[in-house]
Structures are given as C-alpha cells and as structure tokens.
Amino acid sequence: MKYILITGGAGFIGSHLVRRWVNKYPQTTVVNLDKLTYAGNLENLREIEGKPNYIFEKGDITDAAFVNALFEKYHFDGVIHLAAESHVDRSITNPLEFIITNIVGTATLLNAARTSSISRFYHVSTDEVYGSLGDTGLFSETTPYDPRSPYSASKASSDHLVRAYHHTYGLPVVISNCSNNYGSYQFPEKLIPLTVNNIKLNKNLPIYGKGENVRDWLYVGDHVEAIDIIFHKGKDGETYNIGGNNERKNIDLVRLLCRISDRLLEREEGYAEKLITFVKDRAGHDLRYAIDSSKLQNELGWKPSVTLEQGMEITVKWYLENEEWLRNVTSGDYMKYYEYMYSQRQ
Ligand code: NAD
Ligand code: DAU
C-alpha cells in the first residue's frame, strides 16, 4: 500500500482532490493533514469518511515535530501540498498569519521531505505570483514574479523555496500555478459563493471599485484533473500554468450569477441585479489575471472539460441546493461537527 500526503484536504480545492484520489486510487492511502482553520471543513469529506484508504490527521504544517513524526509514521511516496491561508482580503488585515503558514509551513514540509524517500513533492500555487496584467497579454511559466499582496508574496516565497530545495538537495518537485477556481464547497468569503449566498438571502452584492478587474475562472473539477495529470506525468523541477481561458470582468461575472440565480429561484429577471452595490476597492487590487496554459495542454494533454457558463450553472445550483452547508459554515457549526466526530473516535 502506498501512502500519499495531501495537505489542506479539508479546504475547498483540497476536499475535491482528496475525494477524487480516494475514489480513483484504492491502492493508495490518502493521509489528509489539515489544521481545520475557519476554511477547513470535514463535512466536505463526508462521502469518503470511513473508506479504508483514507486517514485524517489534524495538525499544523508549521509544527516541525509533528510534521517530521508524520513522515516517519507513513513513509510517504508523494506529497501534494495545498494547505495555505488563501484569501487576499484577510492577508491585507493579517499578513503575518500568511507569512507563517504559507512560507514557514511550506519550508517545514520541504525539510521533512528532504530526508525522506518521496518520489514527488507537488506544490499547488497561484497565478497571483506573476502580479497584474494590463489590458493584453497572458501569464506564462517564464513570466517574472511580481507579487503585490501579502498573500501572493507569501505564495511566491513558497514557490522559490520549493525550487531551491530542488536545486540544492535534488528534491523531486513540481509546481503548478492556477487561476481563480470556482465550484462547490468554497468558503463564502470568496466572490462566487458570497454572491450566490447573498442573492439567496436578499443581501447586497458587494463589488470592489467599479467591477472592472478581470479574473480567469476555472472549474475546480478541471483543476484537480490537472493536478492528477501533473502529479503522474509532470517532469521534475518543472512548473505548469493552469487556467480556464475564461476571462471576465467582476461586474460581468456577478451579472451572470444574477441571471442564473433569478432563473433557478424562479424570480423575475433583473431581481438580483438590483442588489449590486459598489463598495470601496481592495487595497492594491490587481487589475487583471490571465493564464496561458498551452504548456500543460500540449505536453501533458490536459484541457478544461466545461465552459464557464456550464460550470457556473452547476455551481449556482449547488449553493442554492446546499443551504444547510452554507448556513453551517457561516455559523461555525461545522467545528462542532468535527469536535463530535473525533471525540467519538478517541
Ligand atoms: P482554502 O482556504 O479553502 O483551504 C485551505 C486549507 O488549508 C483549509 O482546509 C485549512 O484548514 C488548511 N490550513 C490552513 N493553514 C494550515 C496549517 N497551518 N496547517 C495545516 N492546514 C492548514 O484554500 P483553497 O482555495 O482550497 O486553496 C488551496 C490551495 O490552492 C492554496 O495553496 C491556494 O494558494 C491554492 N490556489 C487556490 C486558488 C483558488 O482560486 N482558490 C487558485 C490557485 C491556487
Ligand atoms: O487567482 C487565483 C486566486 O484566486 C487564488 O490564489 C486565491 O486563493 C483565491 O482567493 C482567488 O483570489 P481573488 O482575490 O481573485 O478571489 P476573490 O474571490 O476574493 O475575488 C475575486 C475578485 O472579485 C477580485 O477581483 C476581488 C473581487 N471581489 C471579491 C469579493 C470577495 C469583489 O468585487 N467583491 C467581493 O466581495
């Protein structure tokens, strides 16, 4: 039996990845290491709880003694590292938390991996390390790093550390830098779940500045498919950009969510749009992100499976149908669920 360590597996993207891996690779045991911050939620993983090839380990990636002991215990064959503080707005109000988790946490894992016999250390990163684009151009793997928020600077630092461990110690690493993800189980502080939740609750839909900022949206299922392909076929020491080729201005995206929600909620057309409210802009708000993913597409044969409209339809429907999940994560009830589950097991 092989053991693979997935960090941050109780979060948004991590839970999609863990579910996929546990179901698709029954000969591999997935060890999910997660601190269960406000963003980690074991309810996201209910479907695979109790499967023989799934183990949850609650812990902090910055805790060297704990991380080293975990590597000793399982002799991992591979690591896929997603655990991070991930929300740009929070990094503006609390940068140190990001520096500690994203930089020190990654270094702690790399250090443990360095003296182990793993065959792959996969670091999941973001397109935000490349900075901000003007009206034209795309981020490629050779675009110079120019991070501009404490979040993106901490992710850029972690990318540099991963490459440094490859060059210095020969650690077999691979990195991917992905654009904005959307889909089920995303914490409703991020634009899409926040907007759908507010539409449902008849609350204002806050748009930063004039809503002119552009993001390149990718369905989370397509991201985890790319991670699977890169983990198995990517070349050591390489970086792969992942993106959906779905650029939208924030205001246009929110209007699309309004239209889909009105239809699904059987409200009159234009109802949700009236909730749009322009608010003070995010400090240092990057104007535009756009990804050139041709290396991944041409060399490893990945391509997105859904269009933005198809993915948004599935996503809006999921949030509208999973009111209880939204209510729980906004009220903190899922922490009670965790405490209950694990008190029963000990
Ligand atoms: P998320 O915030 O939903 O989940 C992060 C998870 O990490 C949570 O389960 C949390 O409990 C865990 N965690 C945080 N600090 C930890 C610590 N010290 N020790 C152990 N676990 C800890 O994040 P996400 O949106 O799923 O992003 C996952 C990864 O993908 C991050 O590294 C992020 O930078 C990257 N990424 C995200 C996006 C996106 O659009 N969401 C795009 C590109 C890259
Ligand atoms: O590009 C990849 C990144 O995408 C990931 O690395 C991050 O972890 C992830 O959080 C995301 O970052 P963004 O800052 O782009 O995501 P967010 O959902 O916070 O915001 C998307 C855009 O919408 C951004 O331009 C800010 C804007 N926005 C956001 C919120 C929460 C609003 O206008 N109003 C809002 O209320």
Side-chain angles (χ1 to χ4, degrees), residues 34 72 76 87 107 121 165 206 227 260 281 324:
D34 200 296
E72 290 265 307
F76 297 116
H87 190 40
F121 186 103
Y165 272 67
I227 293 174
I260 298 174
D281 209 353
E324 196 187 334

Side-chain angles (χ1 to χ4, degrees), residues 302-319:
W302 170 87
K303 62 174 179 359
S305 69
V306 291
T307 65
L308 182 84
E309 283 69 21
Q310 289 167 332
M312 288 296 166
E313 178 88 18
I314 300 168
T315 302
V316 173
K317 204 159 182 275
W318 189 87
Y319 286 105

Side-chain angles (χ1 to χ4, degrees), residues 266-287:
E266 297 181 1
R267 290 175 176 171
E268 72 189 71
E269 209 185 307
Y271 184 93
E273 271 202 33
K274 293 191 196 118
L275 299 169
I276 290 176
T277 310
F278 293 94
V279 299
K280 189 168 177 275
D281 209 353
R282 171 184 280 173
H285 197 173
D286 287 339
L287 178 67

Side-chain angles (χ1 to χ4, degrees), residues 11-13 34-35 37 40 60-61 82 86 125 151 155 178 181:
F12 163 48
I13 301 169
D34 200 296
K35 183 181 173 183
T37 65
D60 189 330
I61 54 165
L82 295 95
S86 70
S125 193
Y151 164 68
K155 290 297 290 187
C178 188
N181 283 217

Side-chain angles (χ1 to χ4, degrees), residues 56-116:
F56 175 69
E57 291 273 3
K58 184 174 192 257
D60 189 330
I61 54 165
T62 68
D63 180 345
F66 172 79
V67 168
N68 290 339
L70 211 63
F71 273 76
E72 290 265 307
K73 185 173 168 188
Y74 294 107
H75 302 285
F76 297 116
D77 293 286
V79 175
I80 309 182
H81 172 39
L82 295 95
E85 288 294 338
S86 70
H87 190 40
V88 175
D89 291 328
R90 285 180 192 253
S91 84
I92 296 168
T93 49
N94 194 0
L96 276 185
E97 210 173 335
F98 284 67
I99 289 160
I100 293 166
T101 294
N102 297 357
I103 306 177
V104 178
T106 302
T108 306
L109 287 165
L110 287 166
N111 242 9
R114 176 165 83 86
T115 49
S116 77

